Amino acid sequence: MRIDPKEIPTGKLHGLMLGTIGPRPIAFASTVDQTGNVNLSPFSFFNVFSANPPILVFSPARRVRDNTTKHTLENALETKEVVINIVSYDIVEQMSLASTEYAQGVNEFIKSGLTALDSEMVKPPRVAESIAAYECKVNEVISLGEEGGAGNLIICEVVLMHLKEEILDENGMPDPVKTDLVGRMGGDWYCRANGEALFELPKPNKNLGIGYDQIPAVIRNSVVLSGNNLGRLGNIEKLPDADAVSAFGTRSEIEEIKLRFKNDPESMEYHLHTMAQDFLRKNELENAWLTLLQTN
């Protein structure tokens, strides 16, 4: 399917993009106007862009239907302050309720039943129930257009952070299971970063991995191993030596496969590759390679 953005309605383009670019973290932004009226609204055009200085950026887009701007944008332009509250599963329904387009001056903290806590360095309150809140000064607002659907990048510098201690692990860092974060998908869909949705992927070696191109062709063209599997295999710094491969081949499960399929090399390869894939699932990269090299 080939799509020229200029040839389809903005609403459809918006839906196609949001349905394929995600999950997106949610900036639950609290602001105040010049007279002190509080606003609380979620935005999924959001992420962290710098640690030194600590910068968060989110984008309240102009409404597609009538090209009006949102109270959050207007408040940020007026007061140059915002608190970015992070959304976990425990408050996702209240966050959604706060996204209702109430009239100017209506306090979404009250409408959503969330608790407003005084901030220390900025005027907007923070959400007491949020696992993390970032008090920010607005450095700059960049308009990306004047038509409906155009974004407005609000570049915020974090001046104070608040983290709930119960989400931290023994090293004082956020535990992904305890944070129970929520991401925005397309339409009415969200996703929950917990349970089977979480997986650990070791970062690439500090030293150079061999790369996909150095994987032997018989392994690269495997009918079992996926692109993800091959990506992990290419992250090894060097292949195991012949002595290690030979020693590994004396394991009972390897010998059983070799004996059972000694006259059927395709089946032997299939079963060894399946075993190697199991090792990769357990993050045992060396054992995966030792298994795969039994066929060479």
Side-chain angles (χ1 to χ4, degrees):
M1 188 176 184
R2 180 180 177 276
I3 299 170
D4 184 337
K6 296 182 178 63
E7 294 179 354
I8 63 173
T10 301
K12 183 173 183 179
L13 176 62
H14 181 267
L16 291 171
M17 292 179 70
L18 270 59
T20 53
I21 301 173
R24 301 181 305 282
I26 301 167
F28 203 11
S30 47
T31 57
V32 296
D33 63 20
Q34 287 182 330
T35 59
N37 292 311
V38 175
N39 184 267
L40 179 65
S41 187
F43 299 91
S44 67
F45 291 0
F46 162 61
N47 222 307
V48 54
F49 284 81
S50 173
N52 186 21
I55 299 293
L56 307 179
V57 179
F58 72 105
S59 178
R62 303 178 74 92
R63 295 182 180 91
V64 175
R65 66 176 182 272
D66 57 9
N67 197 24
T68 54
T69 57
K70 298 181 179 179
H71 299 144
T72 300
L73 173 63
E74 295 161 5
N75 293 349
L77 287 167
E78 286 182 7
T79 67
K80 305 295 186 182
E81 294 182 340
V82 62
V83 178
I84 304 297
N85 304 280
I86 302 303
V87 178
S88 64
Y89 188 75
D90 283 345
I91 64 169
V92 67
E93 294 278 5
Q94 289 168 286
M95 176 277 300
S96 179
L97 181 57
S99 70
T100 304
E101 292 186 6
Y102 295 109
Q104 177 74 30
V106 172
N107 187 333
E108 286 86 0
F109 277 94
I110 295 172
K111 288 293 186 181
S112 64
L114 291 166
T115 307
L117 279 182
D118 287 341
S119 296
E120 296 180 35
M121 300 184 68
V122 297
K123 291 184 179 67
R126 55 193 176 93
V127 176
E129 293 83 357
S130 183
I131 60 168
Y134 296 85
E135 297 185 24
C136 302
K137 296 286 187 179
V138 175
N139 285 353
E140 187 178 3
V141 179
I142 301 175
S143 172
L144 301 180
E146 299 300 325
E147 301 298 325
N152 295 273
L153 303 185
I154 301 180
I155 302 174
C156 309
E157 182 168 351
V158 178
V159 294
L160 191 64
M161 298 167 54
H162 303 270
L163 302 177
K164 287 191 179 296
E165 291 186 2
E166 56 261 35
I167 69 165
L168 303 178
D169 63 19
E170 62 275 10
N171 299 313
M173 299 301 290
D175 182 316
V177 175
K178 294 176 181 177
T179 54
D180 203 6
L181 294 168
V182 169
R184 191 75 169 88
M185 306 293 284
D188 291 339
W189 290 93
Y190 292 78
C191 70
R192 183 180 186 182
N194 213 322
E196 293 184 1
L198 286 174
F199 62 95
E200 190 172 16
L201 181 63
K203 290 184 178 179
N205 285 325
K206 292 181 180 178
N207 299 316
L208 292 176
I210 64 170
Y212 176 93
D213 59 318
Q214 296 302 306
I215 298 173
V218 66
I219 298 172
R220 219 168 45 234
N221 298 324
S222 171
V223 298
V224 173
L225 301 172
S226 68
N228 278 337
N229 295 150
L230 295 172
R232 181 72 64 86
L233 291 169
N235 190 37
I236 200 166
E237 186 179 351
K238 63 178 182 179
L239 296 183
D241 60 33
D243 288 342
V245 173
S246 178
F248 195 83
T250 64
R251 292 173 60 143
S252 59
E253 61 269 37
I254 298 291
E255 289 185 331
E256 191 274 333
I257 290 174
K258 287 181 175 180
L259 179 62
R260 183 152 52 111
F261 300 108
K262 64 181 180 179
N263 297 319
D264 186 355
E266 288 187 1
S267 293
M268 181 187 299
E269 178 182 295
Y270 177 87
H271 283 80
L272 287 171
H273 286 203
T274 300
M275 181 182 291
Q277 191 175 58
D278 288 338
F279 280 128
L280 289 173
R281 290 193 185 102
K282 294 183 284 187
N283 291 330
E284 298 179 20
L285 179 58
E286 183 84 8
N287 284 345
W289 267 111
L290 288 168
T291 302
L292 292 168
L293 292 176
Q294 299 300 317
T295 59
N296 284 2

